[in-house]
PDB file of all heavy atoms in Angstrom:
ATOM      1  N   ARG V 322     -16.778   9.677  10.206  1.00  0.00           N
ATOM      2  CA  ARG V 322     -17.704  10.806  10.272  1.00  0.00           C
ATOM      3  C   ARG V 322     -18.922  10.589   9.386  1.00  0.00           C
ATOM      4  O   ARG V 322     -19.925  11.255   9.536  1.00  0.00           O
ATOM      5  CB  ARG V 322     -16.992  12.087   9.849  1.00  0.00           C
ATOM      6  CG  ARG V 322     -16.018  12.575  10.897  1.00  0.00           C
ATOM      7  CD  ARG V 322     -15.340  13.817  10.415  1.00  0.00           C
ATOM      8  NE  ARG V 322     -14.051  13.385   9.855  1.00  0.00           N
ATOM      9  CZ  ARG V 322     -13.349  14.061   8.993  1.00  0.00           C
ATOM     10  NH1 ARG V 322     -13.775  15.205   8.556  1.00  0.00           N
ATOM     11  NH2 ARG V 322     -12.203  13.612   8.553  1.00  0.00           N
ATOM     12  N   ILE V 323     -18.834   9.667   8.468  1.00  0.00           N
ATOM     13  CA  ILE V 323     -19.927   9.405   7.536  1.00  0.00           C
ATOM     14  C   ILE V 323     -20.764   8.258   8.070  1.00  0.00           C
ATOM     15  O   ILE V 323     -20.234   7.206   8.412  1.00  0.00           O
ATOM     16  CB  ILE V 323     -19.372   9.054   6.134  1.00  0.00           C
ATOM     17  CG1 ILE V 323     -18.494  10.171   5.605  1.00  0.00           C
ATOM     18  CG2 ILE V 323     -20.495   8.712   5.168  1.00  0.00           C
ATOM     19  CD1 ILE V 323     -19.156  11.513   5.489  1.00  0.00           C
ATOM     20  N   ASN V 324     -22.056   8.474   8.133  1.00  0.00           N
ATOM     21  CA  ASN V 324     -22.978   7.420   8.538  1.00  0.00           C
ATOM     22  C   ASN V 324     -22.969   6.359   7.437  1.00  0.00           C
ATOM     23  O   ASN V 324     -23.281   6.648   6.298  1.00  0.00           O
ATOM     24  CB  ASN V 324     -24.378   8.025   8.728  1.00  0.00           C
ATOM     25  CG  ASN V 324     -25.358   7.042   9.296  1.00  0.00           C
ATOM     26  OD1 ASN V 324     -24.990   5.986   9.819  1.00  0.00           O
ATOM     27  ND2 ASN V 324     -26.624   7.380   9.206  1.00  0.00           N
ATOM     28  N   ASN V 325     -22.571   5.131   7.787  1.00  0.00           N
ATOM     29  CA  ASN V 325     -22.473   4.098   6.760  1.00  0.00           C
ATOM     30  C   ASN V 325     -23.049   2.779   7.228  1.00  0.00           C
ATOM     31  O   ASN V 325     -23.141   2.520   8.423  1.00  0.00           O
ATOM     32  CB  ASN V 325     -21.022   3.920   6.310  1.00  0.00           C
ATOM     33  CG  ASN V 325     -20.150   3.362   7.412  1.00  0.00           C
ATOM     34  OD1 ASN V 325     -20.208   2.185   7.726  1.00  0.00           O
ATOM     35  ND2 ASN V 325     -19.340   4.227   8.017  1.00  0.00           N
ATOM     36  N   THR V 326     -23.446   1.985   6.272  1.00  0.00           N
ATOM     37  CA  THR V 326     -23.892   0.624   6.518  1.00  0.00           C
ATOM     38  C   THR V 326     -22.956  -0.282   5.735  1.00  0.00           C
ATOM     39  O   THR V 326     -22.898  -0.203   4.507  1.00  0.00           O
ATOM     40  CB  THR V 326     -25.353   0.413   6.052  1.00  0.00           C
ATOM     41  OG1 THR V 326     -26.187   1.360   6.721  1.00  0.00           O
ATOM     42  CG2 THR V 326     -25.820  -0.992   6.351  1.00  0.00           C
ATOM     43  N   MET V 327     -22.202  -1.105   6.459  1.00  0.00           N
ATOM     44  CA  MET V 327     -21.237  -1.998   5.843  1.00  0.00           C
ATOM     45  C   MET V 327     -21.899  -3.364   5.637  1.00  0.00           C
ATOM     46  O   MET V 327     -22.323  -4.004   6.583  1.00  0.00           O
ATOM     47  CB  MET V 327     -20.010  -2.140   6.746  1.00  0.00           C
ATOM     48  CG  MET V 327     -18.942  -3.072   6.238  1.00  0.00           C
ATOM     49  SD  MET V 327     -17.797  -2.354   5.054  1.00  0.00           S
ATOM     50  CE  MET V 327     -17.142  -0.951   5.914  1.00  0.00           C
ATOM     51  N   HIS V 328     -21.985  -3.774   4.379  1.00  0.00           N
ATOM     52  CA  HIS V 328     -22.492  -5.094   4.016  1.00  0.00           C
ATOM     53  C   HIS V 328     -21.272  -5.943   3.668  1.00  0.00           C
ATOM     54  O   HIS V 328     -20.392  -5.476   2.936  1.00  0.00           O
ATOM     55  CB  HIS V 328     -23.424  -5.009   2.814  1.00  0.00           C
ATOM     56  CG  HIS V 328     -24.543  -4.030   3.004  1.00  0.00           C
ATOM     57  ND1 HIS V 328     -25.719  -4.355   3.634  1.00  0.00           N
ATOM     58  CD2 HIS V 328     -24.637  -2.721   2.675  1.00  0.00           C
ATOM     59  CE1 HIS V 328     -26.504  -3.298   3.664  1.00  0.00           C
ATOM     60  NE2 HIS V 328     -25.868  -2.283   3.092  1.00  0.00           N
ATOM     61  N   VAL V 329     -21.216  -7.159   4.185  1.00  0.00           N
ATOM     62  CA  VAL V 329     -20.046  -8.005   3.976  1.00  0.00           C
ATOM     63  C   VAL V 329     -20.450  -9.309   3.298  1.00  0.00           C
ATOM     64  O   VAL V 329     -21.411  -9.955   3.713  1.00  0.00           O
ATOM     65  CB  VAL V 329     -19.348  -8.327   5.321  1.00  0.00           C
ATOM     66  CG1 VAL V 329     -18.136  -9.227   5.096  1.00  0.00           C
ATOM     67  CG2 VAL V 329     -18.939  -7.052   6.040  1.00  0.00           C
ATOM     68  N   VAL V 330     -19.724  -9.657   2.255  1.00  0.00           N
ATOM     69  CA  VAL V 330     -19.813 -10.985   1.643  1.00  0.00           C
ATOM     70  C   VAL V 330     -18.401 -11.537   1.597  1.00  0.00           C
ATOM     71  O   VAL V 330     -17.421 -10.779   1.552  1.00  0.00           O
ATOM     72  CB  VAL V 330     -20.467 -10.965   0.241  1.00  0.00           C
ATOM     73  CG1 VAL V 330     -21.928 -10.549   0.322  1.00  0.00           C
ATOM     74  CG2 VAL V 330     -19.703 -10.076  -0.720  1.00  0.00           C
ATOM     75  N   THR V 331     -18.286 -12.862   1.617  1.00  0.00           N
ATOM     76  CA  THR V 331     -16.969 -13.470   1.797  1.00  0.00           C
ATOM     77  C   THR V 331     -16.427 -14.190   0.559  1.00  0.00           C
ATOM     78  O   THR V 331     -15.393 -14.843   0.636  1.00  0.00           O
ATOM     79  CB  THR V 331     -16.989 -14.449   2.983  1.00  0.00           C
ATOM     80  OG1 THR V 331     -17.990 -15.438   2.741  1.00  0.00           O
ATOM     81  CG2 THR V 331     -17.273 -13.714   4.285  1.00  0.00           C
ATOM     82  N   ASP V 332     -17.120 -14.083  -0.564  1.00  0.00           N
ATOM     83  CA  ASP V 332     -16.591 -14.660  -1.802  1.00  0.00           C
ATOM     84  C   ASP V 332     -17.119 -13.880  -3.001  1.00  0.00           C
ATOM     85  O   ASP V 332     -18.079 -13.118  -2.895  1.00  0.00           O
ATOM     86  CB  ASP V 332     -16.916 -16.155  -1.917  1.00  0.00           C
ATOM     87  CG  ASP V 332     -18.399 -16.458  -2.012  1.00  0.00           C
ATOM     88  OD1 ASP V 332     -19.014 -16.112  -3.040  1.00  0.00           O
ATOM     89  OD2 ASP V 332     -18.947 -17.066  -1.069  1.00  0.00           O
ATOM     90  N   GLY V 333     -16.461 -14.083  -4.131  1.00  0.00           N
ATOM     91  CA  GLY V 333     -16.813 -13.334  -5.330  1.00  0.00           C
ATOM     92  C   GLY V 333     -18.186 -13.654  -5.875  1.00  0.00           C
ATOM     93  O   GLY V 333     -18.878 -12.775  -6.406  1.00  0.00           O
ATOM     94  N   GLU V 334     -18.608 -14.890  -5.746  1.00  0.00           N
ATOM     95  CA  GLU V 334     -19.943 -15.275  -6.220  1.00  0.00           C
ATOM     96  C   GLU V 334     -21.026 -14.528  -5.437  1.00  0.00           C
ATOM     97  O   GLU V 334     -21.974 -14.005  -6.023  1.00  0.00           O
ATOM     98  CB  GLU V 334     -20.117 -16.785  -6.068  1.00  0.00           C
ATOM     99  CG  GLU V 334     -21.417 -17.317  -6.619  1.00  0.00           C
ATOM    100  CD  GLU V 334     -21.472 -18.830  -6.492  1.00  0.00           C
ATOM    101  OE1 GLU V 334     -20.768 -19.500  -7.279  1.00  0.00           O
ATOM    102  OE2 GLU V 334     -22.199 -19.326  -5.609  1.00  0.00           O
TER     103      GLU V 334
END
Side-chain angles (χ1 to χ4, degrees):
R322 287 179 263 158
I323 302 302
N324 187 15
N325 67 75
T326 303
M327 179 83 56
H328 306 275
V329 179
V330 294
T331 58
D332 64 68
E334 184 177 286

